[in-house]
Amino acid sequence: MSGGKADPRPAGDGTTSRARLDRGRGALGPALELVHTGRAPTRAVLTAELGVTRATAGAVAAELEALGLIRVDARPGAAAGSQGRPSHRLALAEDGPVVLAAQVHADGFRAALVGLGGQIVATAPGCEAVDADPAKVLGSVVQAGADLLRETGRRCVGAGLAVPSAVAEPDGLALNPLHLAWPAGAPVRRIFAECVRAAGLTGPAFAGNDVNLAALAEHRHGAGRGARDLLCVATGHRGVGGALVLDGRLHTGSSGLALEVGHLTVNPEGRPCHCGSRGCLDVEADPLAFLTAAGREPGPEVSLLQESNELIRHHYDDPSVREAVEALIDRLGLGLAGLVNILNPDRIILGGLHRTLLDADPDRLRAVVADRSLWGQSGGVPILACTLDHNSLVGAAELAWQPVLDDPLAALS
């Protein structure tokens, strides 16, 4: 299919050959996404999922292998009890191209190289200081990624950035980086793209909200796989974020600002919020709120998230810790119930501290959601923990991989 390669499909009349060629090229992106998300482990499954002939599926797999994206096992083994000719196994290329993924949060930043399948190939040591100048921070994180590329010798095809802020479209502005000292409306996508180009990296650059990207990664590679309407709520280092994936695509609203769940009121007499209201999830169910409820002073040694997680995991028998857990679960459950009533998701996944709260007392959280939501009582919406350790980083990589998934030939030419 690519220039200079013989077409591996059998020859026929010109019209038939051209039609097969066009179908094969149009199927490259969908085929790569099926392998990328683990939904096509064999060529037979790929054929069925694409709805094409076996010859076309074979040509598509061969072209993706020629592009260095997948590997086709030429010595397939039949599964136990199976009948008929065994199908070739498909796997992602271990030495294929990568993208640069970057994440900035209140307690630092990190860079990683991520391959297809959400596989983290290499990471740079995280930095714990976030400058008030976005250009300095993004320049540092991109340089860390460029160093990783030099060390590994991998080809970079794009870059993605996750930030703790709503990112407005179409200009890529971080409208509310409340827990960073960055100015509101900072043009993070433009700055990030300039840093990527200055470092000599190739491929397009993207930026998005960290929880949106976490949800995208979990939907493709983690706890959200197979869900049609997936709601993700998470608290990382500060604040609370939410995201919705509908039919495999992030729902970001008309300008990228949908699902600001952190500003749902769950305690009308609660703490003042940065948004001007009171008692928002953002200040009632994040790590700082937990430490405050548990009567602990945040220490300088570790992040608020790590300190909170360790307190719950190792000191849950302390009455003050248990009471704080119950208080946050009740506030979180109230917010989730409202979202269930509005969105009717078929699955909820929780990340960051919320994942730890779920692990500590799953029955209490599920009961609060069921008691407070119309559909929770009758539908029993599953509430699960996120399973990817660095889902925002993997989600940032998904942004950068998307052009390749859409059109591998054009993206890699």
Side-chain angles (χ1 to χ4, degrees):
M1 283 181 225
S2 60
K5 286 188 174 61
D7 192 335
R9 290 174 291 254
D13 64 84
T15 302
T16 301
S17 298
R18 173 57 57 187
R20 286 177 176 169
L21 183 64
D22 290 343
R23 278 201 305 273
R25 283 180 171 163
L28 279 177
L32 181 59
E33 184 164 339
L34 287 166
V35 181
H36 171 63
T37 56
R39 291 178 290 155
T42 68
R43 202 168 68 183
V45 175
L46 183 69
T47 302
E49 289 289 334
L50 293 177
V52 297
T53 65
R54 190 167 67 181
T56 296
V60 166
E63 182 64 20
L64 291 175
E65 185 172 37
L67 290 170
L69 297 172
I70 72 169
R71 293 287 177 263
V72 180
D73 188 347
R75 296 165 298 169
S82 63
Q83 297 181 350
R85 183 179 178 183
S87 179
H88 286 55
R89 289 190 291 265
L90 306 178
L92 296 167
E94 294 182 357
D95 57 350
V98 296
V99 297
L100 166 62
Q103 181 181 10
V104 180
H105 51 71
D107 292 313
F109 59 83
R110 180 179 292 275
L113 303 182
V114 183
L116 284 165
Q119 296 300 310
I120 296 179
V121 174
T123 59
C127 177
E128 297 180 356
V130 178
D131 196 273
D133 182 357
K136 289 184 179 179
V137 179
L138 298 182
S140 296
V141 75
V142 169
Q143 188 56 55
D147 292 342
L148 288 176
L149 285 167
R150 279 192 292 272
E151 292 168 8
T152 60
R154 303 292 280 266
R155 177 188 178 187
C156 180
V157 296
L161 169 69
V163 293
S165 167
V167 177
E169 297 298 342
D171 298 320
L173 308 179
L175 290 190
N176 57 343
L178 298 175
H179 305 294
L180 304 176
W182 293 359
V188 290
R189 188 170 62 210
R190 176 179 61 77
I191 296 171
F192 183 60
E194 290 171 352
C195 292
V196 167
R197 287 194 296 271
L201 306 185
T202 58
F206 304 88
N209 170 262
D210 52 1
V211 179
N212 275 351
L213 300 183
L216 182 62
E218 292 285 347
H219 186 268
R220 291 183 175 179
H221 308 293
R225 184 179 291 172
R228 194 185 76 169
D229 298 336
L230 176 69
L231 172 64
C232 175
V233 176
T235 176
H237 299 265
R238 289 292 304 276
V240 175
L244 186 65
V245 180
L246 300 176
D247 292 324
R249 297 289 179 180
L250 275 172
H251 174 70
T252 56
S254 61
S255 57
L257 308 180
L259 269 290
E260 279 292 313
V261 306
H263 300 289
L264 288 173
T265 299
V266 294
N267 183 10
E269 305 302 321
R271 299 177 181 85
C273 182
H274 316 278
C275 71
S277 186
R278 299 185 72 90
C280 296
L281 267 179
D282 214 51
V283 293
E284 296 287 340
D286 78 339
L288 181 59
F290 171 75
L291 293 173
T292 301
R296 302 305 204 270
E297 285 290 331
E301 297 84 8
V302 298
S303 71
L304 298 175
L305 177 60
Q306 183 178 342
E307 187 175 352
S308 298
N309 284 337
E310 290 178 354
L311 196 59
I312 296 171
R313 289 167 180 160
H314 303 303
H315 301 281
Y316 191 57
D317 55 348
D318 184 320
S320 63
V321 174
R322 184 182 291 270
E323 289 174 8
V325 167
E326 292 175 349
L328 259 72
I329 283 177
D330 290 348
R331 296 168 194 165
L332 174 61
L334 183 61
L336 292 178
L339 292 168
V340 167
N341 289 338
I342 296 169
L343 302 173
N344 187 214
D346 59 358
R347 193 179 309 173
I348 298 171
I349 57 173
L350 302 178
L353 177 61
H354 295 164
R355 175 170 65 175
T356 309
L357 294 173
L358 176 65
D359 291 341
D361 196 343
D363 291 339
R364 185 184 186 96
L365 180 58
R366 291 179 176 126
V368 172
V369 175
D371 289 344
R372 294 279 188 159
S373 62
L374 296 171
W375 315 126
Q377 293 180 18
S378 60
V381 184
I383 303 176
L384 307 175
C386 291
T387 58
L388 303 179
D389 288 335
H390 301 287
N391 49 23
S392 291
L393 267 178
V394 174
E398 291 297 314
L399 284 184
W401 275 117
Q402 194 59 52
V404 180
L405 297 174
D406 290 339
D407 191 342
L409 279 174
L412 299 180
S413 62

